[in-house]
């Protein structure tokens, strides 16, 4: 890839994301066509508006089009026409329609377990080496479906590694008699082969344009770690604007708090990043007890001018929404992912902006 090529993520409505490489001067529509991804198109001339998409992040030249296809207000708000636009940086585009409509399937990958690490008896860390790693492009916050060896079941796990990591990491919260739990505790060995499908999900990091509030419950810290890795790399490259970014990370028990050293590293490498850990267990000696909502400060909410990223169990997602309602806070953007421990796939159910 030369410096003038740009990677464009096409995020479809069904949570599938496909990546294409767009050459200098090439339109997104032409590059999609070359990649055999049929995004919605009609006139290909900037006249009909059929291809209208929303740019979540990145810079581009919008090209030539008429007001009927895209109004100035829409362009100002971030809407764009893939048949006319040429990227000036890597982009994330929200495409109308599903990947199925675009005949754009997700990928299947074989991976080898490089390391199985138990943080505690209820939380494992998996490090995988994936065949064709360069074919697996993902956005920080997305997840993969993993087939449980020896069963017909699959489970969904968010990447905790950043999108540029050579090896992929995931956090697994065990469930009594869960298929993955049984496999990991009784049969798994380094060198085992796993089959993964994805990437999936619309819970991913957007451009930082205002203060960010991350909320994580339990292993819901995994996608936030991937986002922080991306932010850390961006900070090193000088491409992350300096807005406050706060993470409130809640766990039921002390032993559920994992990767706190990584968070301390990110606090040192990402300007404006702060975090706090909170433990619900009444018997814990942790300095902050209870739920994450009990430890948010007005500066974290910024009167609603904040992008919220929340990943946790369904009860936490509901509790946070009730909290915002009670506080009269309506975040500018509210992205969330619910997960249910040990649930049949997809364990991550529902994601989106509210
Ligand atoms: Fe008609 Fe893009 S396809 S405006």
């Amino acid at each position: 890839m030369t410096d003038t090529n740009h990677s464009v993520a096409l995020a479809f409505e069904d949570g599938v994301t496909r990546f294409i490489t767009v050459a200098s001067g090439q339109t997104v529509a032409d590059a999609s066509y070359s990649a055999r991804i049929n995004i919605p198109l009609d006139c290909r001339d900037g006249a009909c508006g059929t291809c209208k998409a929303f740019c979540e992040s990145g810079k581009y030249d919008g090209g030539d089009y008429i007001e009927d296809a895209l109004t100035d207000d829409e362009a100002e708000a971030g809407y764009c026409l893939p048949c006319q636009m040429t990227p000036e940086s890597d982009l994330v585009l929200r495409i109308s329609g599903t990947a199925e409509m675009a005949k754009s399937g997700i990928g299947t990958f074989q991976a080898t377990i490089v390391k199985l690490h138990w943080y505690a008896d209820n939380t494992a860390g998996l490090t995988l080496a994936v065949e064709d790693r360069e074919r697996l492009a993902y956005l920080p916050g997305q997840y993969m479906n993993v087939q449980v060896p020896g069963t017909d079941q699959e489970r969904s796990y968010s990447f905790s590694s950043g999108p540029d990591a050579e090896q992929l990491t995931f956090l697994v919260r065990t469930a009594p008699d869960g298929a993955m739990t049984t496999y990991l505790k009784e049969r798994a060995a380094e060198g085992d082969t796993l089959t993964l499908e994805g990437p999936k999900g619309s819970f991913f990091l957007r451009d930082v344009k205002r203060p960010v509030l991350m909320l994580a419950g339990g292993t819901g810290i995994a996608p936030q770690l991937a986002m922080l890795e991306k932010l850390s790399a961006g900070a090193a490259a000088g491409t992350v604007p300096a807005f406050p970014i706060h993470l409130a990370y809640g766990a039921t028990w002390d032993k559920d708090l994992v990767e706190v050293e990584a968070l301390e590293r990110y606090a040192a490498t990402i300007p404006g990043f702060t975090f706090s850990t909170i433990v619900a267990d009444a018997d814990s000696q942790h300095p902050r007890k209870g739920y994450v909502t009990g430890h948010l400060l007005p500066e974290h909410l910024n009167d609603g001018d904040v992008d919220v990223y929340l990943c946790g169990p369904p009860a936490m997602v509901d509790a946070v929404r009730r909290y915002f309602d009670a506080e009269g806070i309506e975040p500018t953007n509210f992205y969330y992912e619910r997960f249910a421990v040990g649930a049949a796939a997809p364990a991550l159910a529902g994601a989106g902006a509210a």
Side-chain angles (χ1 to χ4, degrees):
M1 188 184 286
T2 70
D3 285 340
T4 50
N5 288 345
H6 295 297
S7 173
V8 175
L10 305 171
F12 293 93
E13 286 175 355
D14 49 358
V16 173
T17 305
R18 292 294 308 273
F19 286 75
I20 56 172
T21 299
V22 186
S24 174
Q26 191 180 29
T27 66
V28 170
D30 285 347
S32 300
Y33 182 78
S34 300
R36 299 173 185 273
I37 299 172
N38 303 315
I39 62 173
L41 290 173
D42 190 358
C43 71
R44 301 188 73 127
D45 200 28
C48 70
T50 301
C51 64
K52 195 182 299 174
F54 182 77
C55 185
E56 298 274 6
S57 70
K59 294 195 185 73
Y60 55 91
D61 180 332
D64 294 327
Y65 52 84
I66 62 171
E67 176 93 9
D68 279 355
L70 188 72
T71 66
D72 289 346
D73 284 350
E74 288 174 322
E76 179 72 20
Y79 288 91
C80 49
L81 298 175
C83 76
Q84 298 300 298
M85 69 192 299
T86 48
E88 292 175 340
S89 72
D90 291 351
L91 302 179
V92 177
L93 298 183
R94 208 161 68 209
I95 302 294
S96 299
T98 61
E100 195 178 8
M101 282 166 51
K103 295 189 177 56
S104 165
I106 48 178
T108 300
F109 299 86
Q110 301 298 315
T112 304
I113 299 180
V114 175
K115 189 172 166 198
L116 170 60
H117 166 72
W118 288 96
Y119 292 93
D121 56 355
N122 63 351
T123 308
L126 266 181
T127 303
L128 305 181
V130 178
E131 277 179 20
D132 295 337
R133 173 66 185 88
E134 66 285 352
R135 194 167 60 86
L136 174 52
Y138 64 92
L139 297 167
Q142 289 194 298
Y143 67 93
M144 298 290 279
N145 283 347
V146 182
Q147 286 179 12
V148 184
T151 76
D152 59 359
Q153 303 204 37
E154 55 181 28
R155 295 288 183 269
S156 305
Y157 300 105
S158 302
F159 298 93
S160 57
S161 46
D164 297 326
E166 185 57 36
Q167 297 187 333
L168 308 177
T169 57
F170 301 88
L171 297 177
V172 180
R173 175 69 188 251
T174 61
D177 301 324
M180 185 59 91
T181 300
T182 305
Y183 165 69
L184 290 179
K185 292 212 162 177
E186 297 180 3
R187 307 195 302 278
E190 290 171 3
D192 280 8
T193 300
L194 300 178
T195 302
L196 284 65
E197 186 186 68
K200 298 186 169 191
S202 53
F203 180 71
F204 54 80
L205 181 69
R206 275 72 174 178
D207 276 356
V208 178
K209 295 178 178 168
R210 56 185 61 78
V212 171
L213 175 60
M214 297 174 159
L215 303 168
T219 50
I221 192 66
Q224 319 273 16
L225 288 168
M227 294 180 187
L228 290 166
E229 183 61 32
K230 172 83 176 175
L231 289 168
S232 181
T239 57
V240 177
F243 287 105
I245 300 170
H246 183 71
L247 165 71
Y249 171 24
T252 305
W253 316 101
D254 293 299
K255 66 181 180 182
D256 298 343
L257 291 173
V258 301
E259 295 290 349
V260 175
E261 305 79 20
L263 297 177
E264 282 163 358
R265 273 201 312 276
Y266 292 132
T269 58
I270 304 171
F273 174 63
T274 55
F275 74 97
S276 57
T277 52
I278 301 108
V279 173
D281 175 22
D283 294 330
S284 167
Q285 299 302 310
H286 199 79
R288 287 168 300 279
K289 303 272 286 289
Y291 297 106
V292 294
T293 48
H295 297 271
L296 296 179
L297 302 173
E299 70 223 47
H300 301 143
L301 303 172
N302 199 34
D303 288 330
D305 184 21
V306 62
D307 288 343
V308 176
Y309 293 86
L310 162 61
C311 185
M316 180 183 181
V317 175
D318 294 343
V320 168
R321 298 184 95 147
R322 282 198 303 276
Y323 170 80
F324 284 146
D325 286 347
E327 294 290 312
I329 294 289
E330 200 174 324
T332 305
N333 291 293
F334 183 19
Y335 307 104
Y336 65 93
E337 185 97 84
R338 296 189 183 100
F339 67 85
V341 173
L348 291 152

